[in-house]
Amino acid sequence: MEKLNMKDKKLPLGFTFSFPCHQTKLDESILVTWTKGFKSSGVEGKDVVAMIRKAIKKRGDFDIDLVAVVNDTVGTMMTCGYDDHNCEVGLIVGTGTNACYMEEMRHIDLVEGDEGRMCINMEWGAFGDDGVLNDIRTEFDREIDMGSLNPGKQLFEKMISGMYMGELVRLILVKMAKEELLFDGRLTPSLLTTGHFETGYVSAIENFARRLQKTVRKLLPDCDIRFVRSEDGSGKGAAMVTAVAYRLAAQHKARQKTLEALKLSHEQLLEVKNRMRIEMERGLSKASHPDATVKMLPTYVCATPDGTEKGDFLALDLGGTNFRVLLVRMRNGIRRGVEMHNKIYSIPQEIMQGTGEELFDHIVHCISDFLEYMGMKGVSLPLGFTFSFPCQQNNLDEGILLKWTKGFKATGCEGEDVVNLLKEAIHRREEFDLDVVAVVNDTVGTMMTCGYEDPYCEVGLIVGTGSNACYMEEMRNVELVEGEEGRMCINMEWGAFGDNGCLDDFQTEFDVAVDELSLNAGKQRFEKMISGMYLGEIVRNILIDFTKRGLLFRGRISERLKTRGIFETKFLSQIESDCLALLQVRSILQHLGLESTCDDSIIVKEVCTVVARRAAQLCGAGMAAVVDKIRENRKLDFLKVTVGVDGTLYKLHPHFSSIMHETVKQLTPKCEVTFLQSEDGSGKGAALITAVACRIREAGQR
């Protein structure tokens, strides 16, 4: 460094250390055993990287960044691989001998992971140390071994490498001369001196390389093997490994810096919980309700099933691209139970974004088809309508649509009573009549469904295409409705949490990009950070950012990855599945037109993990605010409560639910929260609410 006038620079260093070492990472190498005549004490069993760093520090006149330690075999493979991309094997036959090659990760039990390949340093010089070559070794091999510094070790190396070959030849020549088979039986003092016949003489007489290559090709007739001589030695390879490691480390650092913004601390989650609580109070208060983003809408659901409900009820469930029509039969008494029949219909994009009349005509067409399918065309039944969009309710059977969410844009519906729109469409068809008893949100329907099984269930949560929550609030706190006694279920519409800017410091540039290009920019900010409709899009934006900065896919963006919505949220669930090998991650990426390496797959998996984890934690922080409010409402030191949950993200993602549960537990130490998954969806809940309403109505008429 002095000679090159570089002593003041801290350069990355690659260290070619050509002895058997145990490596757990690129910059750590524990010497297993000395070979090739080395015997320095106090080194075997030690990390040679730590030792060289210590020696540099001891000098104190320069500094380096030791990035990688490699075997000379690996260095050779890397050097040749720079010129020939088919080079996947390294071989050294010099003073000692060794080989390395690219092995499939699935065969390397000592290292985690089963995708891609890793270079294996064979340390083949020790082949035969267990006796497997005894029938091939000669008396000359044994004599050389006995006279070596490490008898019984490196037996293969002692048969083939430069350190021993000249001596092997000398011993054979001496024996042949003694037996008068050579030199007329004459021996010279030089021939009798150990080490005097150099391996260089053997090389001058014999073409080792040609014989080696001929033998390999003869033994492997089905392989096309090319031998490339390393001109620059293993030092260049060490520098190349170092350069690659340096680049990867810098890229890793850049990626981590970006992902750091999506990782939330306990303090940040507490802050989200506190802000949600503030917004809940604003929504409940009559004075601040008009400006509140978390609307806290009264549902007029004030009672849960008591087990006496009976009869047949129809239910509709509209909350996303799929629409369900259900027939729910309830029995009471000893054989209390619920029997359900349902059919799923899709809602085409053009109807979702067409006119309101077209949308409700399509819904009524589906009801008609279902009644025909059930053989009940002429029957008039009470109907519960699960309508999973923000609605202002003044009665159980009235729901004024405030705004569309989840990609719906049908005109002429916002500001209208959806029950009237449904009734008008039924009258237009003139085929049947229905008694629309209740309009409910899917969250409320979920709470009621789970409440039928568990009397502690007083909270509903949906985490699917969209996200929302509801819970039983004390009437005295519901300022929009007259009365102080009892409780009423409040549809929070928490997807809009943050629309007033209170979550701006938690939003990343990727959240902003997803929001700006959505159908409802500036709206449903919380939902866009936690629900299934948007998580894939957040991931896609991060992947594009990484690729543009050369941190992923070698900087090459596929046209498909540029397409909005192409990275589906279901991919997150698939990619994060513990049993899913990285090979399947790569097949998902290939579907997106991306040529990925094993490293790319690992990075994509990490991005998915970070985005899904944040979503689950934010959802948990919101839920913590809800259950703590119930506890404080009732002035309890400890609350036991059940949350009924539905939604594809909660149900299908392998880690979302457990992370969310853990977050709630951490943020609400005075609550015992049980999560009950709704098996029958919110449609059954709508029928239950309808049944309860009919029961109460009949009781009132008597």
Side-chain angles (χ1 to χ4, degrees):
M1 289 180 84
E2 204 161 277
K3 192 177 173 184
L4 293 167
N5 195 25
M6 293 170 72
K7 255 190 157 176
D8 58 332
K9 289 189 177 178
K10 185 177 179 176
L11 293 176
L13 173 79
F15 184 15
T16 303
F17 187 74
S18 310
F19 301 92
C21 286
H22 178 63
Q23 284 191 258
T24 53
K25 46 191 178 186
L26 203 52
D27 64 346
E28 179 189 274
S29 201
I30 314 290
L31 177 63
V32 176
T33 176
W34 280 121
T35 57
K36 292 175 277 195
F38 276 74
K39 270 288 177 186
S40 301
S41 61
V43 185
E44 287 182 349
K46 298 281 174 62
D47 177 11
V48 296
V49 175
M51 293 187 83
I52 198 167
R53 281 178 178 152
K54 190 178 174 185
I56 291 165
K57 201 172 178 183
K58 199 163 136 190
R59 277 186 65 103
D61 59 342
F62 70 95
D63 195 12
I64 56 161
D65 181 11
L66 214 160
V67 174
V69 60
V70 295
N71 186 276
D72 55 349
T73 328
V74 181
T76 297
M77 183 188 77
M78 290 293 279
T79 302
C80 296
Y82 188 72
D83 299 313
D84 181 344
H85 292 179
N86 289 321
C87 183
E88 295 192 68
V89 183
L91 172 67
I92 300 277
V93 197
T95 310
T97 182
N98 193 14
C100 72
Y101 71 104
M102 296 304 287
E103 176 60 88
E104 305 299 313
M105 282 289 286
R106 65 179 182 274
H107 296 151
I108 310 169
D109 288 351
L110 298 178
V111 179
E112 296 259 325
D114 60 355
E115 284 311 313
R117 296 176 182 144
M118 183 183 281
C119 182
I120 292 293
N121 165 20
M122 293 178 65
E123 289 301 335
W124 80 359
F127 177 41
D129 289 7
D130 58 353
V132 295
L133 294 180
N134 285 355
D135 54 339
I136 290 170
R137 291 174 70 228
T138 65
E139 60 186 282
F140 311 110
D141 296 307
R142 280 188 271 276
E143 191 175 334
I144 278 187
D145 178 42
M146 292 310 292
S148 70
L149 283 167
N150 55 349
K153 306 286 183 190
Q154 301 295 107
L155 297 183
F156 191 54
E157 183 169 85
K158 286 169 184 168
M159 294 168 81
I160 63 175
S161 77
M163 190 168 180
Y164 306 98
M165 195 174 286
E167 186 60 11
L168 261 176
V169 171
R170 187 190 72 80
L171 291 173
I172 296 166
L173 296 182
V174 166
K175 182 171 183 184
M176 291 177 89
K178 279 181 178 176
E179 292 178 1
E180 298 187 356
L181 300 171
L182 201 62
F183 311 138
D184 292 331
R186 289 196 301 277
L187 288 161
T188 64
S190 284
L191 191 61
L192 288 167
T193 306
T194 302
H196 262 225
F197 197 98
E198 297 168 27
T199 298
Y201 303 159
V202 183
S203 299
I205 297 164
E206 250 303 311
N207 190 324
F208 182 93
R210 198 175 69 221
R211 279 196 180 273
L212 167 71
Q213 291 172 22
K214 199 174 173 183
T215 305
V216 173
R217 286 174 180 138
K218 193 175 177 182
L219 292 174
L220 294 167
D222 297 334
C223 296
D224 180 11
I225 301 158
R226 183 165 173 248
F227 291 84
V228 180
R229 188 184 290 182
S230 167
E231 300 302 335
D232 304 302
S234 54
K236 176 180 169 183
M240 287 175 65
V241 172
T242 304
V244 170
Y246 216 60
R247 171 176 61 81
L248 293 177
Q251 290 179 342
H252 177 72
K253 199 173 175 182
R255 284 192 299 268
Q256 290 309 309
K257 192 179 176 187
T258 300
L259 294 177
E260 208 54 46
L262 290 134
K263 294 175 182 176
L264 302 174
S265 66
H266 181 74
E267 289 67 34
Q268 285 176 304
L269 291 168
L270 267 176
E271 186 56 34
V272 173
K273 174 191 168 184
N274 294 337
R275 291 183 198 180
M276 174 68 89
R277 179 62 183 271
I278 291 164
E279 296 306 310
M280 288 169 75
E281 302 290 359
R282 290 185 74 242
L284 287 169
S285 163
K286 204 168 191 173
S288 51
H289 178 83
D291 303 320
T293 48
V294 179
K295 280 296 180 194
M296 305 296 285
L297 303 168
T299 64
Y300 294 85
V301 171
C302 300
T304 50
D306 67 1
T308 64
E309 295 79 14
K310 62 179 179 184
D312 290 357
F313 304 90
L314 269 186
L316 309 181
D317 191 352
L318 176 67
T321 48
N322 285 336
F323 164 64
R324 284 201 311 162
V325 186
L326 306 94
L327 173 68
V328 181
R329 293 192 156 128
M330 290 184 203
R331 289 193 302 271
N332 63 4
I334 298 165
R335 297 181 63 205
R336 171 176 175 258
V338 177
E339 179 192 320
M340 284 180 24
H341 305 271
N342 74 86
K343 207 170 174 187
I344 295 172
Y345 300 89
S346 67
I347 298 182
Q349 189 87 10
E350 62 271 18
I351 287 179
M352 281 170 70
Q353 296 176 19
T355 67
E357 202 165 285
E358 287 166 345
L359 173 63
F360 280 90
D361 282 347
H362 178 74
I363 288 168
V364 171
H365 167 75
C366 297
I367 297 170
S368 173
D369 177 80
F370 179 76
L371 289 171
E372 203 162 296
Y373 166 74
M374 293 299 296
M376 299 178 73
K377 206 64 181 276
V379 184
S380 177
L381 293 173
L383 178 136
F385 186 10
T386 300
F387 187 75
S388 312
F389 302 91
C391 285
Q392 174 77 50
Q393 284 191 258
N394 299 317
N395 285 298
L396 190 59
D397 62 351
E398 177 188 273
I400 312 293
L401 175 63
L402 298 178
K403 59 180 174 183
W404 283 121
T405 56
K406 293 178 276 199
F408 276 74
K409 273 283 176 186
T411 57
C413 297
E414 290 182 353
E416 297 294 325
D417 176 10
V418 294
V419 173
N420 273 345
L421 294 176
L422 177 63
K423 283 177 175 173
E424 283 166 12
I426 291 169
H427 292 148
R428 273 198 299 277
R429 196 169 178 96
E430 293 183 341
E431 276 186 19
F432 52 84
D433 197 20
L434 297 169
D435 176 16
V436 185
V437 174
V439 59
V440 297
N441 185 277
D442 56 347
T443 325
V444 183
T446 297
M447 182 190 78
M448 290 294 275
T449 301
C450 295
Y452 191 72
E453 312 296 330
D454 180 347
Y456 283 103
C457 184
E458 297 191 69
V459 185
L461 172 67
I462 301 279
V463 199
T465 311
S467 181
N468 193 13
C470 70
Y471 71 104
M472 296 304 287
E473 177 59 88
E474 307 302 311
M475 279 295 287
R476 66 177 182 273
N477 296 333
V478 187
E479 293 185 10
L480 298 180
V481 179
E482 296 277 314
E484 294 276 310
E485 289 308 308
R487 294 173 185 148
M488 182 183 282
C489 181
I490 293 294
N491 165 20
M492 292 177 66
E493 288 301 335
W494 82 358
F497 176 42
D499 288 7
N500 60 354
C502 72
L503 288 180
D504 284 3
D505 50 337
F506 288 97
Q507 276 200 309
T508 65
E509 59 187 287
F510 310 109
D511 297 306
V512 172
V514 168
D515 177 44
E516 283 175 352
L517 290 171
S518 67
L519 283 168
N520 54 349
K523 307 286 184 193
Q524 301 295 106
R525 297 268 185 92
F526 190 55
E527 182 168 84
K528 285 170 185 167
M529 293 167 85
I530 63 174
S531 79
M533 191 166 181
Y534 305 98
L535 295 192
E537 192 59 9
I538 295 171
V539 169
R540 187 185 72 86
N541 276 275
I542 296 171
L543 299 185
I544 284 178
D545 174 71
F546 280 1
T547 311
K548 279 180 179 172
R549 289 158 59 198
L551 306 174
L552 190 63
F553 307 133
R554 297 189 187 90
R556 292 197 286 269
I557 301 178
S558 73
E559 283 305 312
R560 294 205 71 191
L561 191 62
K562 290 179 188 172
T563 310
R564 273 182 58 224
I566 198 81
F567 198 100
E568 298 170 48
T569 296
K570 71 174 182 185
F571 293 160
L572 269 83
S573 298
Q574 290 168 2
I575 285 170
E576 279 211 75
S577 176
D578 288 331
C579 60
L580 190 76
L582 288 174
L583 191 65
Q584 284 160 285
V585 178
R586 286 171 79 175
S587 76
I588 288 170
L589 297 177
Q590 277 164 0
H591 163 72
L592 299 172
L594 296 159
E595 280 303 315
S596 63
T597 63
C598 178
D599 283 342
D600 288 334
S601 299
I602 291 166
I603 293 160
V604 170
K605 189 167 183 175
E606 185 185 9
V607 172
C608 290
T609 300
V610 169
V611 170
R613 182 175 182 79
R614 183 189 69 155
Q617 287 179 321
L618 286 171
C619 191
M623 188 45 61
V626 175
V627 296
D628 243 0
K629 185 170 191 328
I630 294 173
R631 183 183 64 79
E632 288 172 24
N633 279 347
R634 299 175 192 176
K635 298 179 173 59
L636 297 171
D637 292 330
F638 190 80
L639 172 73
K640 183 172 160 39
V641 69
T642 298
V643 179
V645 200
D646 203 354
T648 47
L649 184 62
Y650 181 89
K651 287 180 172 179
L652 301 180
H653 191 280
H655 310 303
F656 188 98
S657 58
S658 56
I659 294 166
M660 190 192 87
H661 298 169
E662 187 54 38
T663 306
V664 174
K665 192 176 178 182
Q666 286 171 0
L667 300 180
T668 58
K670 293 179 177 179
C671 299
E672 183 190 316
V673 186
T674 304
F675 291 87
L676 179 61
Q677 197 165 293
S678 166
E679 298 304 331
D680 305 305
S682 51
K684 177 180 170 183
L688 282 162
I689 290 166
T690 304
V692 171
C694 289
R695 166 171 64 79
I696 292 166
R697 188 166 66 183
E698 282 167 20
Q701 285 168 356
R702 281 202 291 275

